Amino acid sequence: NAGFPMASIEFQGGENLLAAYKKNNKGTLAWSKDPAAVLIEGGGSPSGFSSFGLDGELRSKPDIAGPGGAILSAYPLAKGGYAVLGGTSMATPYVAGAHAIYYQAKKSKPRGDATRRVFKNTATVSSNFGSKTKTSAAKQGAGLVN
């Protein structure tokens, strides 16, 4: 538990909510305060398109993983304003945001290598989707950023 409220909804449910709002934007929505867990296919596991292997200096990459598959993202207004996308362009802002939150909490400017060490030492090791088998470090680095 990250200690902050979070909500998620499947795509069709979101589409239904948007359609209802467009019909009556004065209506209200209410959610239960009871927590619930929902299995998202592939959630918490590296995507099939995730890159891995050695870099030009023969160092193992990635160092750390960020969520990058099936992410609800901003999209051109002419194309609906939102879309579910995947790739490094989805994972990068998440990891960058984690860095920003870390730097703000530290109230200092840790060096990049010190930040990398903290993120790697606090990452959550992922399992292969639908399995208890852990995903290779070659595919996820130290794990999913916390």
Side-chain angles (χ1 to χ4, degrees), residues 8-74:
S8 177
I9 189 167
E10 54 90 26
F11 181 78
Q12 189 57 52
E15 289 287 310
N16 294 343
L17 283 174
L18 286 172
Y21 175 78
K22 287 176 181 177
K23 283 184 180 177
N24 177 12
N25 64 7
K26 305 245 186 280
T28 60
L29 300 172
W31 276 265
S32 167
K33 293 186 182 202
D34 297 330
V38 178
L39 179 65
I40 298 173
E41 186 174 342
S45 300
S47 298
F49 56 76
S50 296
S51 63
F52 63 97
L54 302 175
D55 69 6
E57 300 294 321
L58 301 179
R59 293 175 297 205
S60 179
K61 292 292 176 183
D63 287 333
I64 195 144
I71 304 295
L72 180 63
S73 181

Side-chain angles (χ1 to χ4, degrees), residues 7-145:
S8 177
I9 189 167
E10 54 90 26
F11 181 78
Q12 189 57 52
E15 289 287 310
N16 294 343
L17 283 174
L18 286 172
Y21 175 78
K22 287 176 181 177
K23 283 184 180 177
N24 177 12
N25 64 7
K26 305 245 186 280
T28 60
L29 300 172
W31 276 265
S32 167
K33 293 186 182 202
D34 297 330
V38 178
L39 179 65
I40 298 173
E41 186 174 342
S45 300
S47 298
F49 56 76
S50 296
S51 63
F52 63 97
L54 302 175
D55 69 6
E57 300 294 321
L58 301 179
R59 293 175 297 205
S60 179
K61 292 292 176 183
D63 287 333
I64 195 144
I71 304 295
L72 180 63
S73 181
Y75 208 61
L77 289 175
K79 295 185 177 188
Y82 299 96
V84 176
L85 304 170
T88 55
S89 57
M90 298 295 103
T92 301
Y94 189 94
V95 174
H99 278 78
I101 291 168
Y102 176 71
Y103 288 148
Q104 182 180 24
K106 292 296 288 180
K107 297 188 180 7
S108 67
K109 295 185 180 176
R111 291 176 42 95
D113 56 342
T115 303
R116 183 183 301 112
R117 192 168 28 260
V118 168
F119 277 42
K120 288 174 78 171
N121 287 332
T122 59
T124 300
V125 177
S126 299
S127 296
N128 294 308
F129 182 70
S131 170
K132 293 182 181 179
T133 306
K134 299 297 180 190
T135 304
S136 166
K139 187 81 170 172
Q140 68 174 323
L144 188 62
V145 66

